[in-house]
């Protein structure tokens, strides 16, 4: 399966395609180690999320989180640091995301090459169907508020952060890029700068793309756990439905699909479309104007390039400053280099490293 096919599936209404094996962890290259780089400290913690408690799908409210502390954090007891929250993509969790972007090497390398020291936080938002879409749903729980509220509150109360929006960055790749766009538009009181790497799921899909035969295969799923044996493509449909078309009156999956008895359901299609950032961005232009900086990047061989370029165009049309880069690469092969050489320097340049008076 190509990376383009993989990500077309994860976008809101990409329904075409046959059953395929589950996608394994993507192996990515790493930039060379930077001479003289000082070691960071990685802490693995659990953060309780009241906003995820009581979800119908049985997702754990105690979430795994990786916290990467800069080299000086343990040596110097008084300095406070900005924080960048970095969101993983679909089908992986925080540990796999750290491997994809080659932490700690890339973080140590960025600091050694001149980026100012900051704290990085990687929350795990993987679900029973392989991804929360960083959305708010009674079925999965409110992962949007977990990132924007519960997690930020915990990190600010347990680490030496600069607890102000100007000193918080939000970033993510693929589904995490979608989460960055969604959460970023709605929570400008929390974050001060955004970086979207190859964001997925930005645009509504044409209902004509929906293949009822794909959903016929899902009729055998009788419990959330059953999805573990499904192909990547089919699990993606369940994850999207759990996030965007929950139904508390429909056990055991507590969701509605866009096809029922072979017939496309317009009301469900509309719910999915309403969660596409390119459909709701115009409602949040005032919020987006508050950001100190916004960046979007995508590979020239990535099937998500057109949507990323469209979002950039929307921001330009409204006169919202943003940087946009199409680089040589596909969906994942350059992600570690981008993280080290582009994303971390971006936040180094645009976050506030001192508390505002």
């Amino acid at each position: 399966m190509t990376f383009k096919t993989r990500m077309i599936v994860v976008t809101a209404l990409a329904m075409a395609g046959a059953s395929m094996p589950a996608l394994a962890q993507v192996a990515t290259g790493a930039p060379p180690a930077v001479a003289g780089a000082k070691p960071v400290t990685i802490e693995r913690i659990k953060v309780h999320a009241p906003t995820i408690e009581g979800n119908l799908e049985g997702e754990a409210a105690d979430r795994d989180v990786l916290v990467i502390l800069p080299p000086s954090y343990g040596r110097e007891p008084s300095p406070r640091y900005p924080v960048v929250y970095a969101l993983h993509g679909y089908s992986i969790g925080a540990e796999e995301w750290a491997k994809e972007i080659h932490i700690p090497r890339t973080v140590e390398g960025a600091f050694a090459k001149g980026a100012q020291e900051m704290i990085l936080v990687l929350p795990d938002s993987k679900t029973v169907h392989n991804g929360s879409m960083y959305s708010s749903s009674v079925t999965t729980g409110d992962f949007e508020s977990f990132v924007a509220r519960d997690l930020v509150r915990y990190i600010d109360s347990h680490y030496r952060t600069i607890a102000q929006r100007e000193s918080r960055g939000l970033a993510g790749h693929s589904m995490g890029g979608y989460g960055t766009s969604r959460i970023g538009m709605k929570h400008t009181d929390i974050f001060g700068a955004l970086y979207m790497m190859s964001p997925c799921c930005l645009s509504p899909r044409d209902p004509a793309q929906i293949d009822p035969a794909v959903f016929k295969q899902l009729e055998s799923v009788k419990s959330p756990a059953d999805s573990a044996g499904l192909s990547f493509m089919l699990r993606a449909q369940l994850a999207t439905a759990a996030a965007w078309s929950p139904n508390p009156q429909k056990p055991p999956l507590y969701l509605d699909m866009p096809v029922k008895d072979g017939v496309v359901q317009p009301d469900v299609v509309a719910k999915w479309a309403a969660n596409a950032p390119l459909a709701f961005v115009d409602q949040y232009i005032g919020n987006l104007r508050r950001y100190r900086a916004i960046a979007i990047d995508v590979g020239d061989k990535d099937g998500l390039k057109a949507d990323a370029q469209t979002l950039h165009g929307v921001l330009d049309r409204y006169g919202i400053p943003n940087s946009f880069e199409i680089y040589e690469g596909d969906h994942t092969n350059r992600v570690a280099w981008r993280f080290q050489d582009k994303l971390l320097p971006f936040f180094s340049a645009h976050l506030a490293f001192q508390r505002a008076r």
Side-chain angles (χ1 to χ4, degrees):
M1 176 163 51
T2 66
F3 292 117
K4 179 177 179 180
T5 302
R6 168 186 171 179
M7 293 318 305
I8 288 174
V9 171
V10 179
T11 51
L13 283 174
M15 304 305 176
S19 177
M20 297 183 181
L23 193 73
Q25 167 70 38
V26 174
T28 60
V34 177
K38 296 180 174 61
V40 300
T41 300
I42 301 177
E43 295 190 354
R44 290 169 169 84
I45 64 173
K46 284 191 181 291
V47 175
H48 183 70
T51 51
I52 297 176
E53 283 182 342
N55 69 85
L56 300 174
E57 203 167 71
E59 304 298 345
D62 293 322
R63 307 303 302 181
D64 292 325
V65 177
L66 272 62
V67 180
I68 297 91
L69 301 174
S72 65
Y73 191 93
R75 299 195 311 266
E76 302 174 16
S78 58
R80 291 184 172 271
Y81 301 83
V83 183
V84 172
Y85 294 83
L87 309 181
H88 64 76
Y90 179 77
S91 84
I92 62 173
E95 291 286 351
E96 293 88 352
W97 171 222
K99 291 182 176 68
E100 278 195 6
I101 54 180
H102 291 272
I103 288 176
R105 177 185 292 188
T106 51
V107 179
E108 293 167 351
F111 294 156
K113 293 172 78 171
Q116 298 186 76
E117 290 190 356
M118 62 194 82
I119 297 170
L120 298 175
V121 177
L122 279 61
D124 195 303
S125 296
K126 192 175 183 181
T127 62
V128 68
H129 301 311
N130 260 351
S132 68
M133 305 305 296
Y134 299 101
S135 298
S136 177
S137 160
V138 296
T139 300
T140 61
D142 187 352
F143 278 84
E144 178 182 317
S145 294
F146 161 60
V147 171
R149 304 293 175 183
D150 302 337
L151 182 60
V152 169
R153 187 178 297 117
Y154 182 94
I155 296 299
D156 280 346
S157 64
H158 288 76
Y159 295 91
R160 297 197 315 274
T161 68
I162 304 174
Q164 60 183 21
R165 64 175 295 275
E166 296 85 357
S167 300
R168 296 192 197 101
L170 182 63
H173 177 256
S174 196
M175 183 185 78
Y178 167 83
T180 300
S181 68
R182 177 193 182 103
I183 296 170
M185 289 185 203
K186 297 181 179 184
H187 296 280
T188 48
D189 59 324
I190 303 298
F191 302 102
L194 305 177
Y195 197 117
M196 291 164 263
M197 307 175 79
S198 303
C200 84
C201 319
L202 294 181
S203 63
R205 290 291 168 246
D206 185 342
Q209 294 180 338
I210 300 175
D211 181 0
V214 171
F215 291 94
K216 182 71 175 175
Q217 300 175 66
L218 294 172
E219 293 179 359
S220 62
V221 179
K222 303 303 182 186
S223 72
D226 289 347
S227 76
L230 295 175
S231 70
F232 176 92
M233 301 180 82
L234 293 178
R235 291 189 86 178
Q237 313 319 312
L238 289 174
T240 305
W244 295 347
S245 50
N247 185 341
Q249 302 301 318
K250 199 172 180 180
L253 300 182
Y254 299 103
L255 53 83
D256 288 323
M257 299 300 282
V259 174
K260 181 179 180 181
D261 299 326
V263 179
V264 174
Q265 304 297 298
D267 58 332
V268 179
V269 173
K271 290 179 181 181
W272 287 30
N275 282 275
L278 286 173
F280 60 69
V281 61
D282 301 88
Q283 303 171 43
Y284 294 99
I285 297 304
N287 283 3
L288 289 166
R289 293 191 193 282
R290 296 186 63 195
Y291 280 106
R292 297 166 69 93
I294 299 172
I296 308 168
D297 70 14
V298 66
D300 60 354
K301 301 175 185 66
D302 193 329
L304 302 175
K305 180 177 67 174
D307 278 358
Q309 196 159 18
T310 299
L311 179 58
H312 162 63
V314 171
L315 298 178
D316 274 358
R317 186 167 68 246
Y318 280 105
I320 297 172
N322 70 103
S323 64
F324 176 65
E325 184 177 354
I326 299 175
Y327 58 87
E328 185 177 350
D330 58 32
H331 188 62
T332 55
N333 70 330
R334 302 299 296 178
V335 65
W337 276 268
R338 303 295 299 181
F339 196 84
Q340 173 183 282
D341 296 334
K342 297 292 183 176
L343 186 148
L344 291 176
F346 167 85
F347 286 114
S348 174
H350 295 293
L351 292 182
F353 281 74
Q354 295 182 1
R355 186 181 297 276
R357 295 180 178 178

